[in-house]
Amino acid sequence: MPFRFALVLGVGVIMGFGLSVGRTVQAQREIDPPAVVNDESDNDGDKAVPWQDARLLAEVLEHVRKEYVEKISDQELIEAAIRGMISDLDPHSAFLDPQEFDEIRISTTGEYSGVGIEVQLENGVVKVVNPIEGTPAQKAGVLAGDTILAVDGVPVSVENLNDTIDRMRGKAGTAVKISIARVDVKDPLEFTLSRAAVQVHSVRDQMLDGGVGYVRISHFSETTTSDLERSLASLKKKNGAPLNGLVLDLRNNPGGVLEAAVGVSDVFLEDGVIVTANGRAADARFEMDARPGDALDGAPMVVLVNGSSASASEIVAGALQDHHRATLVGHQTYGKGSVQTVLPLSDGHAIKLTTSKYFTPSGASIHEKGIKPDVLVNEKDVPKPKEGVDVTESYGGKDDVELQLAVSTLQQKTSGAIRQSRAP
């Protein structure tokens, strides 16, 4: 079987243009051929394209090639035709050039070679969101809030941020020079960094009051499940005892690796279906189930979601809600219930093609519907973020109104469980 990616993700525009997180977060799926969900057969794939339709395409290409106001190369014409054909299928299918395909592989594996800086466009400048711990940038003293001015002497272009990102990436061991402006420092700072392998972690955690843990998952990559398990172990150690409860924050999480969504769900479920999918191809029809073992030993959970919680996030939220393992707090989720498969082509190109629709354990399709939380947050109670500021920066902080509601909901469940345990 040829190597290929399968994805459950990618919606909207990601606000943080990251060196660590690609523009789209995809999924890699390598599973055995699944059980057949239905017996529908379709042999259209075995038929050749009708010659009349092929001739029509050739006619159009030839007219554009000869008569369009500007000269366009044959390669550009063919790529444009393919891009239009794929993108017209649905909002999530796409034709990928080699650079876009490389972004998918980076975001899927959670690893790339570069300097280790997460950046975002803010008020017309490229700001450092965070230098990743243990990376060349962090060791050299690059700080959050720094402004990147140039890379290897080439000024940063806000119109072409990808060029800046590409310049900072490169083969491990090679050098790159970065010019940075820092508040309260008069002259630009120059850093010459040696590129290295950078591991991108999608999970962060903190202890809240009352023995409650907080875990935020920003996206789903191949390392997310293991990152989550490490975070839970760390929280238990900080608490000095098993956690009394957990808030799992999936707000603004656009999705990612299918196996990661299944793995995260499985961390908290003892058994049962996590997700099923149905498509035309045999490997587009599958069911994934939980294995015994709950990392929280049944302690109550709240999952925070909003309108930008999509795809893989909705798989987790749907599985935990359907199995009554967690209470969902927040806003209606995005509603992306489809799976994309990335098929490599020649010359480094690829197509991202919708191949399945997935369903929650109850058999519900959330596509274009989303998941309704058990506890809805009133929009009026949530302060609007300042212009140009990434809203996710406030998540987990003292001013996080939605987190306060989640903790309050969790405390009610915890006290209820205590009362039951003391009942005769």
Side-chain angles (χ1 to χ4, degrees):
M1 173 183 284
F3 178 73
R4 62 189 203 168
F5 295 95
L7 350 143
V8 284
L9 126 183
V11 297
V13 177
I14 299 176
M15 291 184 66
F17 292 87
L19 296 181
S20 58
V21 182
R23 289 162 297 174
T24 0
V25 183
Q26 268 72 14
Q28 182 176 1
R29 177 163 58 88
E30 296 176 355
I31 59 174
D32 294 330
V36 174
V37 176
N38 61 35
D39 294 323
E40 294 178 5
S41 60
D42 191 336
N43 297 320
D44 287 350
D46 297 330
K47 298 178 181 178
V49 177
W51 70 267
Q52 297 97 330
D53 296 333
R55 186 176 68 178
L56 179 62
L57 175 61
E59 278 187 84
V60 173
L61 288 173
E62 190 63 17
H63 277 298
V64 175
R65 183 170 176 264
K66 289 182 176 180
E67 299 170 38
Y68 184 64
V69 63
E70 296 178 3
K71 186 175 181 180
I72 302 178
S73 70
D74 290 345
Q75 180 182 356
E76 289 176 311
L77 272 178
I78 295 298
E79 287 192 8
I82 297 171
R83 195 177 297 277
M85 173 177 63
I86 299 298
S87 64
D88 196 50
L89 297 173
D90 63 69
H92 307 294
S93 294
F95 176 65
L96 307 173
D97 62 31
Q99 183 182 23
E100 292 168 327
F101 187 23
D102 191 48
E103 288 288 337
I104 287 178
R105 287 183 287 206
I106 289 172
S107 58
T108 298
T109 60
E111 181 177 338
Y112 71 96
S113 179
V115 298
I117 304 175
E118 294 180 10
V119 299
Q120 72 178 17
L121 196 59
E122 183 179 315
N123 298 325
V125 297
V126 178
K127 282 285 186 72
V128 175
V129 176
N130 178 50
I132 299 172
E133 186 177 355
T135 61
Q138 189 263 340
K139 291 177 180 178
V142 176
L143 302 177
D146 287 347
T147 299
I148 299 179
L149 303 176
V151 179
D152 281 337
V154 179
V156 168
S157 170
V158 294
E159 286 78 22
N160 191 5
L161 187 58
N162 288 331
D163 179 66
T164 299
I165 292 174
D166 290 341
R167 287 179 183 279
M168 286 192 277
R169 290 178 181 164
K171 187 177 180 181
T174 58
V176 58
K177 186 177 181 180
I178 300 175
S179 299
I180 282 176
R182 180 171 296 169
V183 176
D184 298 329
V185 177
K186 182 179 180 181
D187 298 321
L189 303 174
E190 303 287 344
F191 294 89
T192 300
L193 308 175
S194 179
R195 297 182 180 95
V198 176
Q199 288 286 342
V200 182
H201 299 290
S202 58
V203 180
R204 65 178 176 90
D205 61 76
Q206 68 184 76
M207 279 301 304
L208 305 176
D209 294 336
V212 172
Y214 170 85
V215 171
R216 168 156 174 76
I217 300 178
S218 60
H219 63 282
F220 291 87
S221 72
E222 290 179 356
T223 66
T224 299
T225 303
S226 57
D227 287 345
L228 171 64
E229 291 171 337
R230 278 192 292 270
S231 284
L232 292 176
S234 174
L235 289 171
K236 291 177 184 177
K237 186 176 180 179
K238 292 176 184 176
N239 194 43
L243 297 175
N244 293 329
L246 180 75
V247 177
L248 179 64
D249 191 350
L250 299 179
R251 290 173 295 176
N252 282 59
N253 183 322
V257 178
L258 174 63
E259 278 74 14
V262 172
V264 166
S265 303
D266 195 11
V267 166
F268 306 110
L269 294 174
E270 288 282 1
D271 55 30
V273 175
I274 293 175
V275 64
T276 60
N278 192 8
R280 290 172 59 201
D283 61 355
R285 302 188 291 267
F286 57 85
E287 175 181 299
M288 293 185 175
D289 304 305
R291 297 165 295 180
D294 176 359
L296 296 180
D297 296 321
M301 287 182 65
V302 166
V303 178
L304 275 170
V305 294
N306 64 9
S308 296
S309 302
S311 204
S313 295
E314 293 172 297
I315 287 177
V316 175
L320 296 181
Q321 185 184 56
D322 280 3
H323 285 290
H324 307 288
R325 180 63 188 88
T327 301
L328 267 59
V329 174
H331 310 269
Q332 192 101 355
T333 62
Y334 182 86
K336 181 181 178 296
S338 61
V339 179
Q340 284 70 45
T341 300
V342 174
L343 305 169
L345 305 172
S346 58
D347 299 327
H349 291 78
I351 56 171
K352 182 177 67 168
L353 194 64
T354 299
T355 53
S356 301
K357 289 186 177 180
Y358 70 78
F359 304 87
T360 68
S362 64
S365 170
I366 58 91
H367 196 61
E368 297 182 348
K369 301 176 185 176
I371 299 173
K372 184 178 180 180
D374 303 296
V375 179
L376 283 168
V377 173
N378 191 329
E379 293 281 358
K380 297 179 180 178
D381 296 334
V382 182
K384 294 183 178 180
K386 295 179 181 179
E387 187 177 352
V389 175
D390 185 355
V391 67
T392 62
E393 292 181 13
S394 65
Y395 290 168
K398 62 180 180 179
D399 298 325
D400 190 340
V401 175
E402 293 168 312
L403 176 57
Q404 292 172 9
L405 178 59
V407 171
S408 174
T409 302
L410 196 62
Q411 288 171 340
Q412 293 174 19
K413 295 175 69 67
T414 303
S415 60
I418 293 173
R419 286 195 298 271
Q420 289 179 8
S421 67
R422 291 178 177 173

